[in-house]
Amino acid sequence: MSGKGATNEDFREFCADVFGTLGRTDQRQAAETYLYGLLNCTGRKSIRRLVAAAPGRSEQSLQQFINQSPWDPEPIRERLMYRLAKAVRPTAWVIEEVHFPKHGQYSAAVERQYVQSLGRVRNCQLAITVTLTAGRITVPVNWRLIVPDSWGRDHERRTRARMPSHELPRPYWQYHLEVLDDMALEWGMPVAPVVVDTSNRGNVEAFLGALELRRQPYLAQVASTFLVAYDQPARANHPSWGASPANGSAPTWQGTAGDLIARTGHVTRDTVEWRNSEIDSVMRSQFLQVPVRSSVPGRGAGASSTPTGARTLIAEWPLGKPGPRNYWITNMTDPPLPELVELAKLRELATPRIEEFAGTYGLRDYEGRTFAGWHHHVTLATAAYIYCLLDSPG
């Protein structure tokens, strides 16, 4: 064999370490063959083409390994995270949604569903991935395949796709918690803020509250309709806020993030610059930050259910525009505003980097239908990406 990784001792060491959790020798050899094919096959990464690029195994045996063999991909993902985090300190763990276009209706969890990044409905699988993000690097580490409601009781499709009995539809935010809990509780992921877009999702408060219970720092983009509580200083009474209570304590106002920012629009906004590494350009916009807390009773400051009720609402005004464009909520109240803006803008770079990864390493080229096969393929495609990243000079 010739090509990338054929005689590379680093490649052999990488495979021995990352695939060492596989129970059988033939599984470890198959994983190495699959990885080699992903690295060296040009064009579409079908199993037939991978076998042609990495001779030594039959197409049938590689199909069996990916689609039917019951190996657990999570220990491999854990090893990949460890190797990556050892080389690159994460600035943030960015959670992104990734779609996988499909024909037909029998691939695991496929359905006609809305794809946020495309702004339209597609027949596809939807997944979320947690990426290690630092500077120009955005690398998927862990994955979850979203199970649509229509798959909950569809016995025929579940059987064809070999869907595990415990993989049932659940609220979108619970997938986020599951994938983070894998990494934080089981893998020992390095501490870094979670950055996520929740602006088109429901039950955002439940998700943020769960992160706070886990003492996980986060910065979440939210819709203007997200509900917040604001403790208005008593000395700043204004008819639009309502009068102070009779005891003279500071009144608490509750409403949407958009309404709160409109009511505090007279406050001076800060102009913040950040660097867009994709186009190597300095960007700038105006921002306003307001101290808030949860609007849910029992989650305020001093409540026993959370370590702290303190949050910050951040709104962005593009220069010269009459109103805000984006809103974020964070439980990180100490970092300066420019640092929080840099974190918020990291998410905008994640999607194009994931798309580049998908095109280079065949992320969407899995042709099988099984639930396990999908997880096996995306794990090995991730391994190919991380191997190349760590093997590249500099």
Side-chain angles (χ1 to χ4, degrees):
M1 292 193 298
S2 62
K4 187 175 180 66
T7 59
N8 190 328
E9 289 302 318
D10 289 340
F11 176 77
R12 300 295 184 187
E13 184 277 329
F14 179 88
C15 291
D17 176 41
V18 170
F19 302 142
T21 59
L22 294 174
R24 303 199 311 261
T25 300
D26 65 314
Q27 291 177 327
R28 296 191 290 273
Q29 291 173 344
E32 184 173 330
T33 299
Y34 201 91
L35 179 61
Y36 181 91
L38 290 172
L39 292 170
N40 291 279
C41 173
T42 58
R44 185 171 179 82
K45 308 287 196 286
S46 67
I47 287 185
R48 177 173 297 179
R49 293 174 64 86
L50 296 186
V51 169
R57 299 192 72 87
S58 69
E59 182 178 342
Q60 182 179 359
S61 68
L62 216 55
Q63 290 276 12
Q64 167 74 22
F65 170 70
I66 291 296
N67 292 320
Q68 300 175 28
S69 184
W71 53 275
D72 185 356
E74 288 205 8
I76 293 177
R77 296 176 190 173
E78 179 180 356
R79 291 304 304 164
L80 290 170
M81 184 201 73
Y82 176 80
R83 292 181 72 102
L84 182 62
K86 188 176 179 181
V88 181
R89 182 176 181 82
T91 301
W93 299 104
V94 178
I95 303 180
E96 277 296 294
E97 181 181 274
V98 183
H99 75 286
F100 295 74
K102 288 289 182 181
H103 297 292
Q105 58 179 329
Y106 292 108
S107 295
V110 70
E111 193 55 87
R112 286 187 57 78
Q113 48 198 329
Y114 180 77
V115 180
Q116 184 172 332
S117 62
L118 300 178
R120 63 180 186 272
V121 173
R122 293 287 303 272
N123 195 68
C124 65
Q125 298 162 313
L126 277 183
I128 60 166
T129 183
V130 178
T131 71
L132 185 153
T133 300
R136 295 181 61 86
I137 295 173
T138 298
V139 186
V141 174
N142 203 6
W143 296 87
R144 277 294 188 280
L145 185 60
I146 308 298
V147 182
D149 290 342
S150 60
W151 278 73
R153 297 182 178 179
D154 193 325
H155 180 72
E156 179 189 4
R157 287 202 292 176
R158 291 181 64 88
T159 300
R160 286 194 180 199
R162 300 188 180 184
M163 187 78 74
S165 59
H166 65 273
E167 283 293 340
L168 297 169
R170 47 205 185 273
Y172 193 84
W173 63 273
Q174 289 189 5
Y175 290 94
H176 289 69
L177 285 184
E178 290 171 13
V179 76
L180 289 170
D181 283 348
D182 283 347
M183 300 169 66
L185 304 180
E186 303 294 333
W187 304 0
M189 75 177 186
V191 176
V194 167
V195 178
V196 60
D197 182 3
T198 66
S199 58
N200 290 304
R201 296 297 172 185
N203 296 316
V204 176
E205 182 57 55
F207 175 53
L208 300 187
L211 291 179
E212 289 170 358
L213 285 171
R214 289 159 171 77
R215 301 183 182 272
Q216 172 62 54
Y218 65 79
L219 189 148
Q221 188 167 352
V222 296
S224 62
T225 54
F226 181 74
L227 295 175
V228 297
Y230 175 65
D231 294 327
Q232 172 71 1
R235 66 178 182 277
N237 284 342
H238 188 279
S240 65
W241 295 101
S244 298
N247 62 10
S249 63
T252 297
W253 177 90
Q254 294 191 30
T256 68
D259 197 11
L260 175 59
I261 293 300
R263 291 167 181 261
T264 57
H266 62 282
V267 178
T268 301
R269 300 190 291 268
D270 295 313
T271 300
V272 178
E273 294 183 345
W274 69 95
R275 178 167 292 278
N276 185 321
S277 60
E278 292 296 298
I279 60 177
D280 194 26
S281 176
V282 174
M283 314 291 288
R284 60 181 59 85
S285 193
Q286 290 187 321
F287 296 84
L288 177 64
Q289 54 182 345
V290 180
V292 297
R293 54 185 173 83
S294 170
S295 65
V296 177
R299 287 217 174 122
S304 60
S305 61
T306 58
T308 174
R311 295 174 177 176
T312 298
L313 170 65
I314 301 171
E316 177 188 7
W317 269 266
L319 292 172
K321 299 297 182 180
R325 174 173 61 187
N326 295 313
Y327 300 85
W328 295 270
I329 289 286
T330 180
N331 62 343
M332 297 179 287
T333 57
D334 292 331
L337 180 60
E339 185 176 323
L340 294 174
V341 170
E342 288 279 358
L343 275 176
K345 296 303 178 179
L346 278 178
R347 234 217 87 249
E348 296 179 0
L349 304 177
T351 296
R353 291 170 181 171
I354 291 174
E355 289 304 308
E356 181 180 0
F357 152 52
T360 303
Y361 299 100
L363 181 67
R364 295 189 175 99
D365 291 350
Y366 173 61
E367 297 174 338
R369 294 177 172 176
T370 68
F371 180 87
W374 182 90
H375 275 281
H376 292 163
H377 173 77
V378 299
T379 299
L380 293 172
T382 300
Y385 186 23
I386 292 176
Y387 171 74
C388 279
L389 178 68
L390 298 181
D391 193 50
S392 298

